[in-house]
Amino acid sequence: MADAPLRADLILEYPFSRTTGPVIGAFLTGLREGVLLGIRRADGTVMVPPAEYEPDTGESLSELVEVGPAGEVVSWTWVDSPRPQSPWDRPHGLALVRLDGADTPMLHGVLVDSPDELATGMRVEVVWSDEREGHIADIAGFVPKEPS
Amino acid sequence: MGKERTAVLGVGQTEYRSTRGDVSMAGLVREAALRALADAGVGWADIDAVVIGKAPDFFEGVMMPELYLADALGCAGKPILRVHTAGSVGGSTALVATSLVQAGVHRRVLTLGFEKQSESNATWALSLPQPFSVSINAGAGGYFSPIIRQYMARSGAPDLIGCMVAFKDRQHALRNPHAHLHQADLTFDQVVEAPMLWDPIRYSETCPSSDGACAMVLGDEAAGDASPNPVAWVHGTAMRSEANNFPGRDEVSPQASRDCAADVFRQAGITDPRAEIDAVEMYVPFSWYEPMWLESLGFAEHDQGWRMVEEGATHLDGGDLPVNCSGGVLSSNPIGASGMIRFAEAALQVRGMAGEHQVDGARRAFGHAYGGGAQYFAMWVVGADKP
């Protein structure tokens, strides 16, 4: 049909690479080794994940400190029907977890069966993936930590 | 009320390399920024705003990287602006930053350009197959080679002028520790015998693909007077644009290029650029653009630019108009920074801080960048004395 609208696919793909540098690189390498690292700021507080610089002033940061592996839920949400893009394919929590020794919370999954098992202030601990490659998914998620 | 006098207080450059695998993108820009702050004798807190430029986001696949780099550049609580004008972006970025000081909006502005070409492929990024596009994607070399041939036919330039430019810039690069290409054993014959990519452009006559960042701290007159190191004063700034295809277009010497040069030299009170400028840093990604721009910018008569190359007039040793003493784009090309490097190197020359590639006694220098299909132009003249 002469006046049918033209159609064309546009698929853009490129295998971009990334250089992580001395701080994010150390954090990711730590995940592979099963170690959680934060960075100490000028005021003594610890930021997780770490950054190469003071977020307020731009001053350089370099003192990596180990944190976790347990921490406290600062706030949370419940995902009952994970979308296809979700890292988890079953119902799960998403929580801001402040790891022991850290002053900033980090978002990750909490692997429980029901929102009834989630509460602000609860203690959780990290579950490592069996195979780790230096990626945030090396943390399989967090689970409630039993009082010791 | 006129413009506030504006000075380059500090310059910071990373080492330009094919791959800076030791630093993140944030680490790369911070390396240049911290060196510029140190040169200017100021800290992050003394900076009022940041103006950052880079080539298209597709180059690294990070969309709007200026947003995530804001805190890496000490911008919490301050304005950050991103500039994009294709290959001329480094120059345009410096000029936007300059205008903020000239207008009295800010006292000290950090301006920076960067590229991490190792994380992607510029030719891929520039050749995305857009549906229904009426342009063939021949890459930059394929686009510019017919224009260069047009110049050769028009001017009667000998075939090896481009090789002479390439050899000269690679010799200059040996005196610049930041330069990407350090080819100490390179001979002129090797330049000539290199593979022909897009006749008449040989592989040896093209720019490398580099990682790197370049930063400058700009300040107002009071900041310039108080700066610990010598400063470079801005004597003129100009930008022009034009379409890359219209009837009667002069592709060899675009109207926008000629107008931009005339404007910047008028502002600087320069009537004889060759006599009154002591050092030139111009954007030459393919060797032949040196004689072409020498003519377009007014440093040479029509069709005579190649003679300056042939006579060695643009060589740091013995030339009366040294061009690209840093080694130029032909020796380092972190695209988003390449224009700013031209501007920063011009500033270093009049500050007397260009090291081994210093032009003795340089008082006024010219920085130049172009982008797109020779469509976007940014230029400045800087001097050792106040304008």
Side-chain angles (χ1 to χ4, degrees):
Chain A
M1 224 168 86
D3 54 356
L6 291 168
R7 291 182 58 86
D9 291 328
L10 175 59
I11 299 169
L12 300 178
E13 283 184 309
Y14 190 82
F16 293 107
S17 59
R18 280 293 170 266
T19 310
T20 53
V23 173
I24 303 297
F27 177 74
L28 294 172
T29 305
L31 294 180
R32 193 176 64 198
E33 305 302 321
V35 173
L36 292 160
L37 293 173
I39 201 153
R40 194 177 306 282
R41 301 177 58 184
D43 65 1
T45 60
V46 173
M47 191 163 61
V48 182
E52 297 175 35
Y53 41 84
E54 185 71 41
D56 290 341
T57 64
E59 297 298 334
S60 298
L61 297 176
S62 60
E63 188 190 344
L64 291 160
V65 291
E66 192 172 339
V67 295
E72 179 184 319
V73 170
V74 174
S75 190
W76 57 274
T77 184
W78 181 251
V79 182
D80 204 52
S81 305
R83 308 295 299 167
Q85 301 92 331
S86 170
W88 294 274
D89 57 8
R90 61 187 175 91
H92 60 274
L94 282 176
L96 286 167
V97 177
R98 187 167 54 227
L99 293 162
D100 294 343
D103 295 279
T104 58
M106 185 177 86
L107 186 72
H108 218 293
V110 184
L111 309 177
V112 292
D113 297 324
S114 152
D116 298 339
E117 298 173 61
L118 284 171
T120 294
M122 72 184 285
R123 298 281 297 164
V124 292
E125 63 185 343
V126 69
V127 177
W128 293 105
S129 299
D130 294 334
E131 293 186 11
R132 299 193 295 271
E133 55 180 20
H135 187 276
I136 192 66
D138 290 354
I139 300 174
F142 288 83
V143 293
K145 180 176 169 61
E146 304 302 328
S148 51
Chain B
M1 200 178 111
K3 290 174 181 169
E4 175 69 35
R5 283 179 175 148
T6 302
V8 179
L9 314 179
V11 167
Q13 303 185 64
T14 67
E15 274 59 49
Y16 306 120
R17 298 292 182 263
S18 60
T19 305
R20 283 298 307 273
D22 57 325
V23 287
S24 64
M25 211 174 286
L28 185 76
V29 297
R30 286 174 58 78
E31 188 176 303
L34 286 165
R35 289 176 180 181
L37 293 174
D39 184 10
V42 299
W44 293 109
D46 300 307
I47 298 298
D48 303 318
V50 176
V51 184
I52 183 170
K54 72 173 298 297
D57 292 356
F58 268 123
F59 277 32
E60 289 93 356
V62 179
M63 297 303 116
M64 297 178 279
E66 65 278 8
L67 301 183
Y68 111 86
L69 291 173
D71 51 354
L73 292 169
C75 233
K78 301 172 186 175
I80 185 166
L81 294 175
R82 153 83 181 275
V83 177
H84 177 228
T85 59
S88 68
V89 64
S92 310
T93 303
L95 295 188
V96 170
T98 303
S99 69
L100 292 172
V101 179
Q102 288 176 327
V105 177
H106 298 299
R107 182 164 183 209
R108 282 193 204 86
V109 177
L110 173 69
T111 186
L112 185 143
F114 78 96
E115 211 68 60
K116 220 161 186 301
Q117 290 218 60
S118 66
E119 306 201 350
S120 174
N121 180 311
T123 297
W124 174 84
L126 290 171
S127 308
L128 300 176
Q130 299 290 341
F132 314 126
S133 167
V134 295
S135 298
I136 188 78
N137 289 319
Y143 179 88
F144 288 117
S145 288
I147 299 172
I148 289 169
R149 184 175 295 280
Q150 196 180 348
Y151 169 73
M152 294 169 75
R154 184 175 96 178
S155 66
D159 288 348
L160 295 183
I161 292 295
C163 291
M164 295 178 74
V165 172
F167 186 57
K168 182 256 306 177
D169 280 3
R170 303 280 159 61
Q171 286 183 310
H172 284 173
L174 295 173
R175 303 185 190 186
N176 177 6
H178 296 290
H180 176 173
L181 298 183
H182 286 132
Q183 300 170 300
D185 300 326
L186 183 72
T187 65
F188 183 70
D189 287 347
Q190 287 172 330
V191 173
V192 175
E193 288 158 12
M196 191 65 85
L197 297 183
W198 307 272
D199 198 346
I201 301 180
R202 294 165 178 78
Y203 179 74
S204 56
E205 296 176 81
T206 64
C207 51
S209 174
S210 314
D211 285 359
C214 178
M216 291 190 286
V217 177
L218 305 177
D220 64 9
E221 185 169 13
D225 288 339
S227 208
N229 284 328
V231 302
W233 295 98
V234 177
H235 288 217
T237 64
M239 286 189 266
R240 289 292 188 284
S241 313
E242 75 178 35
N244 79 346
N245 186 17
F246 58 85
R249 182 179 193 222
D250 185 346
E251 285 94 354
V252 173
S253 180
Q255 179 84 38
S257 164
R258 287 176 277 140
D259 289 353
C260 194
D263 187 8
V264 80
F265 288 134
R266 180 190 55 74
Q267 291 176 38
I270 288 172
T271 55
D272 182 350
R274 182 169 177 179
E276 297 174 67
I277 293 288
D278 302 316
V280 172
E281 282 283 336
M282 63 167 69
Y283 205 96
V284 180
F286 299 106
S287 60
W288 280 92
Y289 268 88
E290 178 173 306
M292 289 162 67
W293 291 142
L294 284 171
E295 293 176 27
S296 184
L297 298 167
F299 290 108
E301 296 295 322
H302 196 61
D303 293 342
Q304 303 298 309
W306 60 269
R307 292 186 193 276
M308 289 180 65
V309 176
E310 195 176 54
E311 292 160 5
T314 60
H315 203 291
L316 179 52
D317 293 327
D320 71 288
L321 187 77
V323 174
N324 292 332
C325 300
S326 64
V329 179
L330 284 175
S331 303
S332 312
N333 190 30
I335 299 178
S338 291
M340 190 167 295
I341 297 168
R342 311 278 73 73
F343 280 49
E345 284 284 345
L348 287 174
Q349 288 289 346
V350 299
R351 299 173 73 203
M353 294 175 71
E356 294 292 307
H357 60 283
Q358 175 71 45
V359 175
D360 284 341
R363 303 296 293 173
R364 276 201 289 194
F366 174 76
H368 163 273
Y370 86 94
Q375 295 164 263
Y376 310 108
F377 297 89
M379 305 176 192
W380 79 0
V381 172
V382 287
D385 302 315
K386 287 184 184 179

